[in-house]
Amino acid sequence: MSIRRTPRGTTALDRLRERYTDVERVCSKCGHVDTDGGWSAKTTGSTVLYRHICPSCGAIETRTLSLK
Ligand SMILES: [Zn+2]
């Protein structure tokens, strides 16, 4: 075997989540920068669903990402 597979489950997902946490923490509604919070990630198998709730105005941001 020449291809090393990433372990299933948390590792890949955590990495993706960290990435999102770094990139988008500014609320598009009120501009609040959420330095403490982050995105919560949930996977349905082939798709990752990200959700972030602004602590300032309560706006909910969602992103979906397809896993390959
Ligand atoms: Zn906001």
Side-chain angles (χ1 to χ4, degrees), residues 27 29-32 54 56-59:
C27 176
K29 288 258 174 22
C30 72
H32 177 79
C54 176
S56 180
C57 72

Side-chain angles (χ1 to χ4, degrees), residues 18-33:
E18 271 172 33
R19 197 169 169 161
Y20 255 83
T21 303
D22 282 347
V23 174
E24 299 193 53
R25 279 186 294 196
V26 182
C27 176
S28 61
K29 288 258 174 22
C30 72
H32 177 79
V33 182

Side-chain angles (χ1 to χ4, degrees), residues 35-46:
T35 48
D36 293 329
W39 293 75
S40 58
K42 186 181 175 182
T43 184
T44 58
S46 58

